[in-house]
């Protein structure tokens, strides 16, 4: 019998693409979701359905899952990786940037969780892995909006974990520190991007996305009776 289906949002680059590669190597069929279909297809993994969707559109994840499950069976693991980071100070940042971060980092994540939780509870098994951040556990300058979204992710993950643990469903939070992804490109302030680059150099560089992907796979591969509730990982020289 083949391995079960794994669904990943934000899978077109960075951590999402690295997670996809790790699960493919482990023999899982994949549902990869992102807005950039050409980037999804370029990942080039076997037994993979690539779906061009906007996860902020309610119902889009469930529709993609329905199509994937027709071919590969029920989703056993959802990796909620789609997200954005727009740094700035509350008094000067465009409020539309706060709205975009909460829409994508929080509301879309909750909608994706809702898409799989019912069937998982009915089956008495399944794993949801939410990508939070070290910014979901502590604060950083110019991160108020982003930190707010990631504190929300951390809290939602823990709350839902408690609610569904008795049904045999695992809900896990992964909290990476500085990682080599495209996420900093979303910040519109050139000054803040430069400050981030200088800080990155001060700590001796950032993590490769595969380091986070290995943590995701490790958490998932534990026996179903074991829930790794949270993994926090960061470059060794990153203090906070």
């Amino acid at each position: 019998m083949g391995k079960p289906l794994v669904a990943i949002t934000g899978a077109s680059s960075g951590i999402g693409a690295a997670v996809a590669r790790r699960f493919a190597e482990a023999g899982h069929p994949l549902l990869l979701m992102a807005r950039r279909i050409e980037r999804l297809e370029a990942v080039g993994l076997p037994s993979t359905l690539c779906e061009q969707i906007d996860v902020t559109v309610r119902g889009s994840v469930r529709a993609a899952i329905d199509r994937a499950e027709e071919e590969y069976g029920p989703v056993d693991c959802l990796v909620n990786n789609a997200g954005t980071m727009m740094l700035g100070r509350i008094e000067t940042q465009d409020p539309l940037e706060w709205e975009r971060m909460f829409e994508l980092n929080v509301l879309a994540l909750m909608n994706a969780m809702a898409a799989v939780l019912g069937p998982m509870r009915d089956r008495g098994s399944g794993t949801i892995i939410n990508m939070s951040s070290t910014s979901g556990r502590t604060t950083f300058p110019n991160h108020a909006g982003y930190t707010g979204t990631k504190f929300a992710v951390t809290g939602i993950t823990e709350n839902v974990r408690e609610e569904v643990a008795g049904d045999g469903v695992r809900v896990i939070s992964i909290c990476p520190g500085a990682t080599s992804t495209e996420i900093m490109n979303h910040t519109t302030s050139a000054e803040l991007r430069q400050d981030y680059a200088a800080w990155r150099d001060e700590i001796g560089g950032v993590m490769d996305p595969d380091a986070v992907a290995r943590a995701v796979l490790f958490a998932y591969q534990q026996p179903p009776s074991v829930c790794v509730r949270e993994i926090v990982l960061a470059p060794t020289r990153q203090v906070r």
Side-chain angles (χ1 to χ4, degrees):
M1 185 175 178
K3 293 189 177 181
L5 177 63
V6 174
I8 306 167
T9 68
S12 60
S13 65
I15 292 171
V19 170
R21 293 187 187 97
R22 282 288 169 179
F23 275 99
E25 288 175 5
H28 290 271
L30 302 173
L31 167 61
L32 304 185
M33 295 169 279
R35 289 176 299 167
R36 299 177 295 182
I37 187 68
E38 71 285 351
R39 295 285 295 272
L40 286 179
E41 293 171 344
V43 178
L45 299 175
S47 301
T48 296
L49 177 64
C50 297
E51 287 281 344
Q52 182 177 29
I53 67 168
D54 182 346
V55 295
T56 64
V57 176
R58 188 175 302 169
S60 61
V61 172
R62 184 64 249 179
I65 286 172
D66 287 342
R67 291 187 286 271
E69 290 186 332
E70 289 181 5
E71 185 169 356
Y72 298 117
V75 169
D76 189 58
C77 179
L78 168 67
V79 181
N80 259 320
N81 175 70
T84 187
M85 179 173 73
M86 301 174 183
L87 305 186
R89 290 185 174 275
I90 289 293
E91 71 272 24
T92 57
Q93 189 170 14
D94 184 346
L96 292 176
E97 294 188 352
W98 313 332
E99 293 179 15
R100 177 60 179 166
M101 285 191 287
F102 274 90
E103 182 181 44
L104 181 55
N105 297 359
V106 182
L107 299 181
L109 175 138
M110 294 176 74
N111 282 325
M113 293 178 75
V116 299
L117 268 173
M120 286 181 175
R121 296 182 81 173
D122 291 342
R123 294 194 306 270
S125 66
T127 303
I128 296 174
I129 299 176
N130 290 334
M131 200 61 61
S132 184
S133 168
T134 50
S135 294
R137 304 178 83 254
T138 189
T139 58
F140 295 89
N142 303 305
H143 279 59
Y146 179 70
T147 292
T149 68
K150 290 303 184 178
F151 265 76
V153 170
T154 300
I156 290 164
T157 302
E158 176 60 13
N159 203 106
V160 177
R161 182 196 66 76
E162 295 174 4
E163 292 174 354
V164 302
D167 297 307
V169 178
R170 305 181 302 183
V171 187
I172 297 166
S173 178
I174 305 291
C175 301
T179 308
S180 179
T181 72
E182 299 176 358
I183 197 168
M184 191 59 198
N185 297 341
H186 303 162
T187 293
T188 54
S189 167
E191 180 182 357
L192 292 181
R193 291 198 302 271
Q194 291 170 359
D195 289 347
Y196 181 87
W199 172 76
R200 178 191 62 205
D201 293 341
E202 287 175 10
I203 64 171
V206 299
M207 295 187 295
D208 188 276
D210 188 58
V212 184
R214 293 196 305 270
V216 170
L217 186 62
F218 167 81
Y220 174 73
Q221 288 184 330
Q222 300 310 299
S225 60
V226 175
C227 180
V228 180
R229 299 180 182 182
E230 181 182 55
I231 295 179
V232 182
L233 67 161
T236 300
R237 294 179 182 273
Q238 179 180 333
V239 177
R240 297 164 63 191

